[in-house]
């Protein structure tokens, strides 16, 4: 019996030993969604010390007891446990717990995992862009990224104004666009439905690798690629209507008569005879309309083991809310990649773009200034002219719109593409060479037809007359523009993991860009015969060459070249290092100032990967601290060869029977002209907590521009652009915050809410050689000087209205101030009002910007709400400051001062009182606004419902964009910050940004 018991114990011990002995386990770890191998995944034996990591091919090897359990862990992925059960090969597939950590972002001439980034880079996915109806993809970024200001325009096809971290130059502050590697100044030609992602590189360390081009930030666009192992057809389409929700509050005919009568009385002028002026015309109704918009995108993609193909075709058609406006664009792109073998890949891309525009010739201010007492047409269909008090300055808006309808032929073509070859060798090295080209051809022909017969309404003893101006003849303008860009990039990269903990990526590269363009313009007027209204005849040679004409032309060539290197190092997924260096040159500058050396360094610490953090902090899933420094240059906005002298025609002189043209310097050259130097520092924190439901990111930055490029007047007799040089430096300091929460109420009810906030303080530290040096913008309304922000508003501060002559006598005033005039603050305290009392009145650039996003989904139903706004800036209502004629009144003038105590804000109705038209806070409005950017309700039909007809997915939705804006501005849009850097923030008839109501579908086969 004892022997039997001993035998059983020996058998059990043998079995236990067999299952507990160590064996060699190998395998590969991949992403469950994409199938891509994962590098640096931690592989360990459960409840045992030590472990290993996957290599660059995703493979691992570990010794483990045959009855143990392997634990696979990776930042951004859910931990996975797999029993060994005596198996020698165990492959693992990990599922992302937080997708953003495993995402790849564009970092310049390459990509990097988001977790390894040490700079300030934000990503916006293509599916977020396609949910907004727009013809320009940049419009869709508004309110989505902290530190990014997008100022949209309602003009069909117009590019928005984009600022990243404020205005870092007085000359050009536009960012660099990089589309699949090619450097661009705009992305108007892209189809919003063809974008995979947009990465925004905001800090100097991230953009330093672009040398002289990236100082204002970089917007990197990646177009769609084919999904691995799939053939997909996707069609997106929207149809909608645009509507101007906020009109400018103008007086009607009765209000005009009341105010104009009072104004004439204040001028001691005779009353106007309104006998024939009985209309009540709303000229805004003549100008504005509800306009259609339609966007379409068709994408066909295929990807197999040997090749990948994407074909995209897009068509957008947008009418403007201002009559006659229209913009159409047609896009086609094909991308092909071929894998010759596992080490060699070649490919290319070709994109074609064609646009047609029909711009309006009407002035928006025409609708605001035209007197409402004038009817549009008489019973015979003839247009009425305006009254005598504004006939020479303001026209009949309907006349201008109808006469100039369909008189423009504006066409453009653009072709760009690339060819690349990529070779992997010695396992860890990759050589890639790419050549790009971008060619543009634009042609415009404008026709100026004969005038119509008009009717001049009688006034007093002057009778009504019918008039035709036979001095006006037909004329034609013809314009041709061509642009050419050739770029090449060559990079050699090394990517290797050492000892399962050290991950190194290094790259060296060479790049060059050559740009050129040419333009020709001609205009000719027919003095004998008139050109018919037929586009086939709108060419210069139709008119006799001896008739009056003018012509001009221009062009330039520019070369840029650079060499660069970058290294990225990560130790145990905890300690991060990124460093770049670039040597760059531009032909815009003199040879001695042509080259610059730039670079950056970034450090990161993933504290959540430390053992002490894992042991003691349970609710924080990910915590990274990062710091970065970068130095780069800015050559944007500089004319070619500006350091050299050129000649220009001067005044004419007559000697005998001959006329001679003088020749002089076109400007004063600065032989020491150089690029601006931008240097920036960043400190950041990234946090994800509560099982990745909460995410938070904070960044503090300080960016300084040295050697500001700008122009100013040396002599009063010269043009304002006569001297272009490096003047001083300015600083942008700020903070960027973003936070989000993702969770679910129940099994099928998911929601997310996020917000972002940016603050930027812009200060000119020094400019010019003296303390009182000033650069004037917009006729003196804006100033740039030391100690203030760029282009700040400079004028008088209104403190009331002079009510009586006694108050004028006992107050600081101008020598000709009178009751009813604006009362200004005596800033310098000298007892009088003079130009010395002008002061800082605010900035046109919003220091605060923010965005809010909410999404809900329940099974196939989804809802999106997005809001966006800015604060802290002022808007100049320049449209109200015109006094060249008697113009219509905005409704605020109904409260004009008439007697003591009647108003302390609105001055007297008297356009002869020049002091009231001096720039002051009276003409400024707070630019703060909050806008409902997008409300969208959609439903997705899955494959289980439509699979029988070959449909994988169908989403239909209705949406409203810009449907409500809360603002104190009185113009068509609160986004009136558009304008030059030195003279921005003026609303002088800003084009409306309309509300857009649409129905759309997204269909996938």
């Amino acid at each position: 019996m004892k022997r039997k018991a001993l035998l059983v114990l020996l058998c059990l011990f043998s079995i236990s030993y067999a299952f507990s002995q160590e064996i060699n386990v190998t395998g590969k770890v991949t992403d469950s969604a994409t199938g891509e191998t994962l590098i640096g995944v931690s592989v360990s034996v459960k409840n045992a010390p030590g472990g290993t990591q996957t290599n660059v091919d995703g493979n691992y090897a570990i010794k483990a007891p045959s009855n143990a359990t392997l634990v696979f862990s990776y930042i951004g992925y859910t931990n996975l446990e797999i029993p060994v059960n005596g198996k020698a090969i165990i492959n693992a597939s990990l599922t992302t717990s937080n997708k953003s950590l495993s995402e790849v972002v564009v970092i310049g001439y390459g990509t990097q995992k988001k977790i390894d980034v040490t700079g300030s880079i934000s990503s916006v996915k293509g599916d977020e862009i396609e949910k907004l109806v727009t013809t320009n993809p940049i419009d869709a970024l508004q309110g989505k990224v902290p530190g990014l200001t997008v100022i949209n325009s309602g003009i069909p096809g117009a590019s928005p104004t984009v600022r990243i971290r404020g205005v870092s130059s007085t000359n050009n502050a536009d960012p660099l666009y990089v589309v699949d590697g090619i450097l661009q100044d705009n992305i108007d030609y892209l189809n919003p439905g063809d974008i995979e992602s947009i990465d925004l590189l905001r800090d100097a360390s991230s953009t330093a690798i672009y040398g002289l081009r990236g100082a204002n930030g970089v917007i990197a666009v990646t177009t769609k690629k084919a999904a691995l192992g799939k053939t997909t057809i996707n069609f997106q389409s929207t149809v909608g209507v645009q509507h101007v929700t906020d009109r400018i509050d103008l007086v009607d005919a009765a209000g005009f008569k009341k105010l104009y009568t009072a104004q004439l009385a204040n001028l001691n002028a005779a009353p106007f005879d309104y006998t024939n002026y009985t209309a009540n015309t709303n000229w805004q109704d003549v100008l504005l309309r509800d306009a259609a918009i339609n966007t379409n995108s068709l994408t066909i993609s295929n990807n197999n083991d040997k090749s990948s193909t994407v074909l995209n075709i897009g068509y957008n058609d947008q009418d403007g809310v201002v009559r006659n406006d229209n913009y159409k664009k047609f896009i086609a792109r094909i991308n092909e990649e071929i894998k010759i073998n596992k080490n060699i890949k070649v490919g290319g891309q070709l994109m074609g773009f064609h646009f047609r525009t029909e711009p309006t010739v009407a002035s928006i201010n025409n609708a605001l200034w035209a007197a409402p007492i004038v009817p549009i047409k008489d019973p015979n269909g003839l247009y009425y002219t305006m009254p005598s008090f504004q006939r020479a300055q303001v026209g009949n808006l309907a006349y201008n719109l109808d006469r100039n309808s369909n008189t423009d032929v504006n066409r453009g073509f653009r072709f760009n593409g690339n060819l690349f070859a990529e070779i992997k060798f010695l396992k860890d090295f990759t050589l890639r060479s790419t050549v790009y080209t971008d060619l543009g051809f634009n042609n415009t022909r404008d026709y100026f037809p004969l005038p119509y017969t008009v009717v001049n309404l009688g006034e007093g003893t002057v009778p009504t007359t019918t008039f035709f101006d036979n001095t006006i003849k037909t004329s034609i303008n013809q314009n041709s523009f061509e642009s050419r860009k050739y770029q090449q990039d060559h990079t050699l990269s090394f990517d290797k993991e050492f000892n399962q903990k050290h991950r190194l990526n290094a790259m060296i590269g060479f790049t060059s860009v050559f740009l050129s363009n040419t333009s020709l313009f001609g205009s000719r007027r027919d003095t004998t015969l008139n050109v018919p209204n037929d586009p086939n005849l709108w060419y210069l040679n139709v008119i006799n060459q001896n008739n009056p004409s003018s012509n001009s032309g221009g062009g330039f060539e520019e070369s840029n070249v650079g060499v660069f290197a970058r290294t990225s190092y990560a130790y145990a997924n905890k300690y991060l290092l990124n460093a770049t260096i670039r040597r760059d040159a531009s032909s815009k500058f003199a040879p001695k100032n042509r080259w610059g050396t730039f670079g950056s360094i970034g450090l990161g610490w993933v504290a959540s990967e430390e053992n002490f953090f894992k042991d003691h902090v349970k609710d924080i899933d990910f915590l990274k601290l990062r710091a970065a420094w970068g130095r780069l240059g800015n050559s944007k906005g500089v004319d070619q060869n500006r350091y050299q002298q050129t000649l220009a025609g001067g005044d004419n002189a007559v000697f005998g029977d001959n006329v001679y043209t003088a020749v002089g310097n076109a400007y004063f050259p600065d032989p020491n002209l150089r690029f601006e130097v931008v240097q920036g520092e960043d400190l950041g924190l990234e946090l994800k907590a509560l099982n990745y439901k909460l995410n938070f990111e904070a960044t503090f930055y300080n960016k300084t521009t040295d050697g500001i490029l700008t122009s100013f007047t040396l002599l009063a007799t010269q043009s304002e652009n006569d001297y272009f040089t490096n003047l001083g430096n300015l600083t942008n300091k700020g903070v960027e915050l973003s936070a989000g929460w993702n969770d679910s109420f129940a099994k099928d009810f998911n929601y997310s809410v996020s917000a972002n906030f940016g603050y930027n303080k812009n200060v000119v530290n020094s400019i010019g050689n003296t303390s009182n040096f000033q650069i004037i913008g917009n006729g003196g309304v804006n100033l740039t000087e030391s100690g203030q922000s760029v282009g700040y508003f400079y004028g008088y501060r209104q403190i009331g209205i002079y009510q009586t002559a006694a108050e004028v006598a006992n107050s600081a005033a101008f020598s000709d101030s009178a009751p009813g005039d604006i009362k200004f603050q005596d800033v310098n305290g000298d007892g009088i009002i003079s130009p010395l009392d002008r002061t800082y009145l605010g900035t046109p650039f919003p220091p605060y910007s923010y965005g809010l996003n909410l999404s809900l989904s329940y099974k196939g139903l989804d809802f999106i709400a997005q809001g966006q706004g800015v604060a802290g800036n002022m808007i100049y209502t320049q449209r109200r400051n015109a006094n060249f004629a008697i113009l219509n009144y905005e409704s605020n003038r109904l409260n004009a001062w008439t007697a003591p105590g009647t108003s302390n804000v609105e001055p007297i109705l008297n356009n002869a009182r020049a002091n009231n038209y001096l720039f002051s806070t009276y003409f400024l409005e707070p630019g703060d606004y909050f806008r409902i950017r997008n409300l969208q309700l959609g439903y997705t039909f899955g494959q289980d419902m439509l699979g029988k007809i070959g449909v994988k997915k169908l989403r239909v939705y209705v949406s409203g964009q810009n449907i409500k804006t809360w603002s104190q501005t009185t113009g068509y849009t609160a986004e009136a910050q558009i304008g030059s850097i030195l003279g921005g923030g003026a609303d002088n008839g800003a084009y409306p940004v309309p509300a857009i109501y649409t129905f759309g579908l997204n269909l996938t086969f």
Side-chain angles (χ1 to χ4, degrees):
M1 186 69 180
K2 290 181 178 179
R3 289 183 177 180
K4 291 181 177 179
L6 181 60
L7 183 60
V8 170
L9 288 174
L10 288 172
C11 290
L12 291 174
F13 176 78
S14 299
I15 294 172
S16 174
Y17 176 78
F19 277 92
S20 62
Q21 66 178 340
E22 286 191 340
I23 62 174
N24 291 320
V25 181
T26 61
K28 178 175 288 189
V29 182
T30 58
D31 184 301
S32 62
T34 65
E36 295 180 354
T37 56
L38 298 177
I39 304 170
V41 177
S42 297
V43 185
S44 62
V45 177
K46 189 175 183 179
N47 299 324
T52 186
Q53 289 185 331
T54 57
N55 61 21
V56 292
D57 297 318
N59 297 321
Y60 74 94
I62 191 171
K63 287 186 176 182
S66 58
N67 63 346
T69 297
L70 295 185
V71 179
F72 300 84
S73 62
Y74 196 49
I75 295 177
Y77 288 79
T78 303
N79 289 353
L80 178 65
E81 297 185 1
I82 302 179
V84 176
N85 290 335
K87 292 180 290 186
I89 299 176
I90 298 177
N91 296 321
S93 181
L94 300 186
T95 304
T96 57
S97 58
N98 185 63
K99 190 175 181 181
S100 64
L101 291 176
S102 60
E103 288 175 347
V104 171
V105 296
V106 173
I107 57 172
Y109 304 99
T111 59
Q112 187 177 39
K113 287 189 176 180
K114 177 67 174 173
I115 187 176
D116 292 335
V117 170
T118 56
S120 297
I121 302 178
S122 298
S123 297
V124 179
K125 296 304 175 186
D127 56 359
E128 296 183 56
I129 297 170
E130 67 190 27
K131 288 177 181 177
L132 282 171
V133 181
T134 175
T135 57
N136 192 307
I138 294 299
D139 292 347
L141 299 182
Q142 192 177 46
K144 291 188 176 295
V145 177
L148 173 70
T149 303
V150 178
I151 307 165
N152 284 322
S153 169
I155 300 174
S159 298
T161 300
V162 180
R163 299 286 181 258
I164 296 177
R165 292 186 171 180
V167 176
S168 56
S169 172
T170 60
N171 180 49
N172 186 299
D174 297 334
L176 171 69
Y177 298 92
V178 182
V179 181
D180 293 331
I182 188 169
L183 308 185
Q184 302 284 24
D185 292 324
N186 64 70
I187 56 173
D188 302 353
Y189 64 93
L190 287 181
N191 180 7
D194 191 31
I195 292 177
E196 182 68 29
S197 65
I198 295 180
D199 297 300
L200 292 99
L201 288 63
R202 307 194 301 276
D203 68 306
S205 71
S206 299
T207 61
I209 199 166
Y210 289 105
L212 290 170
R213 300 292 298 274
N216 299 323
V218 175
I219 298 178
V221 180
T222 303
T223 55
K224 289 183 176 179
K225 302 292 189 296
L228 183 64
K230 294 181 180 180
T231 298
T232 303
I233 300 175
N234 177 259
F235 176 68
Q236 303 173 41
S237 182
T238 64
V239 292
V241 61
Q242 304 163 94
H243 175 73
V244 179
T245 56
D246 298 312
R247 294 198 174 191
I248 295 175
D249 192 7
L250 302 172
V251 298
D252 59 8
F256 178 86
K257 291 176 180 179
K258 173 184 176 181
L259 296 179
Y260 186 41
T261 299
Q263 182 162 333
L264 290 172
N266 292 332
L267 292 168
N268 296 317
F272 183 79
D273 184 358
Y274 295 104
T275 302
N276 294 328
Y277 291 88
T278 58
N280 186 16
T281 302
N282 187 331
W283 293 105
Q284 292 185 91
D285 288 342
V286 176
L287 178 76
L288 304 176
R289 63 179 178 180
D290 288 344
I293 184 170
N294 174 227
T295 66
N296 303 275
S297 177
L298 174 66
T299 303
I300 303 172
S301 63
N302 177 67
N303 192 333
N304 54 46
D305 294 338
K306 291 295 184 181
S307 66
S308 170
T309 305
V310 176
L311 172 65
N312 176 265
I313 300 172
Y315 168 68
N316 298 327
D317 187 355
Q318 181 182 11
D319 287 329
V321 291
V322 172
R323 272 183 52 192
N324 295 351
D325 259 2
N326 178 262
Y327 175 78
K328 294 181 177 68
K329 75 174 183 178
F330 309 81
I331 315 104
R333 180 181 73 94
I334 185 168
N335 178 281
E336 179 75 19
E337 294 186 3
I338 301 173
K339 299 176 183 177
I340 296 177
N341 56 44
K342 67 176 184 178
N343 294 322
I344 301 177
K345 180 170 62 174
V346 297
Q349 177 173 280
L350 178 64
M351 179 181 295
F353 165 67
H354 171 55
F355 74 84
R356 302 176 184 175
T357 65
E358 178 64 32
T360 186
V361 296
S363 164
I364 290 177
N365 280 335
N366 196 160
L368 308 180
W369 292 341
I373 59 176
V374 180
I376 299 174
K377 294 181 181 181
D378 75 353
N380 297 317
L382 300 180
Y383 294 90
Y384 287 107
T385 60
M386 307 311 290
S388 59
F389 55 76
Q390 61 175 211
R391 184 172 300 159
Q393 298 87 5
V394 181
N396 183 317
L397 182 61
Y399 172 96
N400 293 331
L401 286 167
D402 292 344
R403 180 190 173 204
N404 295 289
S405 176
N406 298 314
T407 57
D408 292 272
V409 178
N410 194 343
R411 305 288 185 263
F413 297 87
R414 190 168 178 178
F415 304 94
N416 66 52
N418 65 70
L419 293 172
F420 80 89
E422 182 179 285
I423 302 174
K424 294 186 176 182
F425 61 98
L426 298 179
K427 188 178 180 179
D428 303 313
F429 290 88
T430 302
L431 176 64
R432 183 182 178 98
S433 291
T434 310
V435 292
Y436 310 84
T437 188
D438 185 6
L439 307 174
F441 310 91
N442 294 355
N443 293 279
T444 301
R445 291 180 288 130
D446 302 318
Y447 172 67
F448 298 90
L450 289 172
Y452 296 153
T453 300
V454 295
V455 177
N456 297 326
L457 281 173
E459 300 173 9
T461 60
V462 178
T464 297
T465 59
T466 300
F467 175 75
F468 177 79
D469 190 348
N470 56 15
T471 64
I472 298 177
K473 302 296 183 181
T474 58
S475 61
I476 291 171
N477 290 344
Q478 191 172 345
N479 183 34
S480 176
F481 175 83
E482 295 183 6
S483 64
R484 296 161 289 276
K485 179 185 295 182
Y486 306 101
Q487 178 183 333
Q488 59 175 328
D489 297 337
H490 308 284
T491 59
L492 174 64
S493 60
F494 172 81
D495 198 335
K496 188 173 180 62
E497 182 177 348
F498 303 89
N499 300 324
Q500 308 298 319
K501 287 191 175 182
H502 305 274
R503 190 165 66 252
L504 175 66
N505 177 274
M507 179 189 67
I508 59 174
F510 167 80
T511 182
S512 70
V513 180
F514 174 81
L515 307 94
S516 69
N517 71 43
T518 54
S519 62
L520 293 172
F521 171 80
S523 176
R524 186 169 291 164
R525 179 168 57 90
D526 202 332
T527 58
T528 53
L529 301 175
N530 287 304
V531 179
N533 192 347
D534 182 350
N536 294 320
L537 299 175
W538 297 346
Y539 295 95
L540 294 180
N541 63 346
V542 171
I543 300 176
N544 189 296
Q545 64 179 356
N546 294 320
N547 285 0
S549 64
S550 63
N551 57 76
S552 62
F556 73 84
E557 291 186 353
E558 175 190 338
S559 297
N560 299 270
V561 65
V563 291
F564 52 87
R566 178 176 61 220
T567 183
S568 300
Y569 171 74
Y571 174 74
N573 289 326
K574 293 185 290 188
Y575 310 114
L576 312 172
L577 168 67
N578 291 284
T580 65
I581 187 169
R582 175 157 178 158
R583 183 75 170 157
D584 218 12
S586 172
S587 64
K588 292 181 177 181
F589 306 99
K592 65 178 180 179
N593 296 325
R594 191 162 286 175
W595 286 90
T597 301
F598 313 104
S600 68
I601 187 168
L603 300 173
W605 176 39
V606 184
S608 53
E609 283 295 288
E610 299 286 359
N611 291 331
F612 72 84
F613 195 99
K614 294 178 179 179
D615 294 338
H616 297 92
V617 182
K618 300 301 180 184
D619 292 329
I620 297 180
D621 306 298
F622 176 79
L623 175 63
K624 180 170 73 173
L625 303 176
R626 51 181 172 79
W629 169 91
R631 183 179 187 271
L632 64 166
N634 182 29
S635 63
K636 293 177 71 69
V638 182
D639 292 338
Q640 288 68 29
N641 305 312
R642 187 61 189 260
Y643 64 93
Q644 294 176 318
Q645 182 59 267
T646 59
L647 301 178
D651 295 332
N652 295 331
V654 178
F655 294 93
D657 295 330
N658 299 318
V659 177
Y660 296 90
T661 300
V663 176
N665 295 334
Y667 48 78
F668 294 105
D670 179 1
N672 298 313
L673 191 70
R674 62 173 176 85
F675 46 80
E676 297 172 337
V677 176
V678 177
Q679 183 170 300
E681 300 88 32
D682 262 46
L683 290 174
L685 176 149
E686 299 175 23
L687 179 145
K688 299 181 186 296
L690 302 176
N691 197 25
Y692 292 99
K693 294 177 182 178
L694 173 68
N695 65 81
F696 173 78
E697 185 171 348
T699 302
F700 303 88
Y701 64 87
N702 181 12
K703 183 172 66 171
T704 299
T705 304
D706 182 67
I708 301 170
L709 286 166
T710 194
S711 59
F712 64 94
T713 302
L714 283 179
L715 302 174
T717 56
Q718 298 291 325
S719 67
E720 65 177 26
N721 293 321
D722 63 339
Y723 194 65
F724 190 73
T725 188
N726 303 91
L727 284 178
N729 67 53
L730 61 86
T731 298
N732 286 277
K733 296 181 180 180
V735 59
E736 298 165 347
L737 304 173
S738 62
W741 176 268
N742 301 274
D743 202 358
S744 59
F745 289 123
K747 179 180 179 182
D748 297 315
F749 199 153
N750 302 307
Y751 71 95
S752 68
V753 59
S754 64
N756 65 76
F757 169 83
Y759 167 72
N760 181 80
K761 183 177 182 180
N762 176 275
V763 176
V764 177
N765 302 314
S766 64
I767 194 165
N769 298 321
T770 61
S771 60
N772 62 350
F773 187 90
Q774 298 174 329
I775 301 176
I776 297 173
N778 196 11
V781 168
N782 303 83
L783 278 189
T784 299
E785 63 179 348
S786 299
Q788 300 289 359
S789 62
V790 171
Y792 73 90
F793 289 119
Y794 177 71
Y796 298 94
R797 191 175 300 278
Q798 181 185 15
I799 58 175
I801 299 291
Y802 294 112
Q803 301 296 325
T804 63
E807 183 180 358
V808 173
N810 295 320
S811 303
F814 287 106
S815 59
D816 57 349
S817 292
D821 286 350
I822 296 176
K823 185 178 183 179
F824 298 123
Q825 183 179 19
D826 182 13
V827 173
N828 65 356
D830 63 0
I832 61 172
I833 300 299
S834 71
L836 297 177
D837 292 306
R838 291 176 295 174
T839 186
Y840 176 90
L841 301 181
T843 175
F845 307 110
Y848 304 96
S849 60
Y850 56 94
L852 303 171
N853 299 277
L854 169 68
S855 65
L856 305 170
S857 66
Y858 177 72
K859 295 185 176 179
L861 192 66
D862 65 83
F863 172 75
I864 299 170
Q866 299 173 340
Q868 171 268 333
V870 302
N873 64 301
M874 304 298 289
I875 300 296
Y876 170 32
T877 56
Q878 190 169 2
R879 65 181 191 274
R880 291 179 171 180
N881 201 12
N883 66 341
F884 54 85
I886 300 297
L887 306 174
N888 194 20
Y889 309 90
E890 295 188 27
S891 295
N892 61 297
R893 298 299 282 144
L894 290 170
N895 300 316
W897 185 92
T898 56
T902 54
S903 176
N904 205 35
V905 176
E906 294 292 334
I908 189 173
L909 289 161
N910 188 331
N911 63 331
R913 301 275 188 95
N915 294 338
N916 294 328
Y917 291 91
L918 296 173
F919 177 66
S920 70
T921 52
Y922 172 75
F923 294 105
L924 289 178
E925 297 174 338
D928 309 2
Y929 74 86
F930 175 73
R931 171 176 292 156
I932 297 178
R933 188 74 175 98
N934 187 27
L935 291 178
Q936 189 174 114
L937 181 65
Y939 186 81
T940 301
F941 300 87
Q943 191 171 10
D944 54 342
M945 299 180 66
L946 302 173
K948 293 182 180 180
I949 58 174
V951 176
K952 295 180 181 178
K953 185 178 72 173
L954 170 62
R955 180 176 183 266
V956 294
Y957 60 91
V958 292
S959 70
Q961 293 175 212
N962 309 323
I963 57 177
K964 177 62 179 176
T965 301
W966 287 268
S967 171
Q968 298 181 59
T969 57
T970 56
Y972 287 123
T973 174
E975 297 186 69
Q977 307 133 37
I978 300 173
S980 67
I981 294 174
L982 297 174
D987 180 355
N988 196 19
Y991 201 102
V993 175
I996 307 175
Y997 304 93
T998 57
F999 169 81
L1001 62 87
N1002 190 326
L1003 178 64
T1004 302
F1005 295 94

